[in-house]
Amino acid sequence: MLDATTRSGGTATATPPAIATELALPVPAPVGLTARCTRVLLSPWSRLSLLLALLAGAASTVLLFEPQRLLSDGWPPQLGGVAAAVVFGVAYGLCTVAFVPRPLLNLAAGALFGSQLGLASALAGTVLGAGIAFGLGRVLGQDALRPLLRGRWLKAADGQLSRHGFRSMLAARLFPGVPFWAANYCAAVSRMGYVPFLVATALGSIPNTAAYVVAGARASAPTSPAFLIAMAAIALPGLAGAVVAWRKRHHLRGR
């Protein structure tokens, strides 16, 4: 039986099906410069570099403005009352992200606002700063840093935070010894959830924060019972944390 081309008197032959299918396949377009740049910018190491740049910039800003002057110069007179405490809480959170020691900020909160309002402002700033640091570490640093968790101590800390995040972070906040910023970024790199991290931070930070705030509020009367109790509340958790760390050292080495 003749095909359509033969019947019409033409000399062309039909295209084989395999060749027709091959010719019909779309040719992939070359990857553009924009796509390559986006892939590089969103890579784990690029995000980690951005995190390090942000932290370096924040630390430089703190060194430039010297927030510790609040203890000597006081709060600007334009702000007062609850509004000043809210502003201080926001500044507190940003300063903790920039590695400013929390004891200094807690003492300033007590000296500026008294025990009650100072404690509320300091706790709000604590949770805010921890949340910002955790978010930055999780988004910008986790993908690049998790493959580096190969040492025994690093694996032990990561496993503890990933499996028992709430109670581990609660203990880290209750017993001083681990720097605030270090606990934030370690938790961010681990598999710990965001909500347990914030709740454990809020609850675990109350005793130590209250002790420093009361000490700052009563610093003008160093022989008062409130000041002495506050100083004891600062010293005892530190001693207890050192004892616990000493007893756990063999357990961590054996992992």
Side-chain angles (χ1 to χ4, degrees), residues 145-226:
L145 294 177
R146 280 203 66 81
L148 302 179
L149 301 177
R150 299 175 181 175
R152 181 180 302 173
W153 285 78
L154 292 176
K155 286 185 177 180
D158 176 67
Q160 187 70 19
L161 287 171
S162 299
R163 293 190 300 269
H164 312 290
F166 178 82
R167 71 184 188 187
S168 298
M169 187 53 55
L170 186 65
R173 302 307 192 193
L174 285 172
F175 301 106
V178 179
F180 183 74
W181 61 269
N184 294 337
Y185 292 111
C186 286
V189 174
S190 73
R191 306 285 187 188
M192 184 178 184
Y194 195 77
V195 173
F197 170 78
L198 290 180
V199 175
T201 295
L203 296 177
S205 299
I206 292 175
N208 185 263
T209 303
Y212 276 100
V213 169
V214 172
R218 301 301 179 90
S220 58
T223 58
S224 63

Side-chain angles (χ1 to χ4, degrees), residues 77-173:
Q78 295 82 2
L79 291 174
V82 177
V86 172
V87 174
F88 181 85
V90 174
Y92 183 115
L94 297 177
C95 285
T96 58
V97 177
F99 312 114
V100 176
R102 286 184 61 249
L104 176 66
L105 297 171
N106 292 333
L107 290 172
L112 294 173
F113 305 109
S115 299
Q116 296 181 355
L117 190 57
L119 177 59
S121 180
L123 282 177
T126 296
V127 176
L128 175 63
I132 293 174
F134 187 92
L136 288 175
R138 179 60 56 89
V139 173
L140 300 179
Q142 187 187 49
D143 292 341
L145 294 177
R146 280 203 66 81
L148 302 179
L149 301 177
R150 299 175 181 175
R152 181 180 302 173
W153 285 78
L154 292 176
K155 286 185 177 180
D158 176 67
Q160 187 70 19
L161 287 171
S162 299
R163 293 190 300 269
H164 312 290
F166 178 82
R167 71 184 188 187
S168 298
M169 187 53 55
L170 186 65
R173 302 307 192 193

Side-chain angles (χ1 to χ4, degrees), residues 30-42:
V31 179
L33 179 61
T34 303
R36 289 197 297 268
C37 292
T38 302
R39 188 181 301 115
V40 171
L41 291 176
L42 296 180

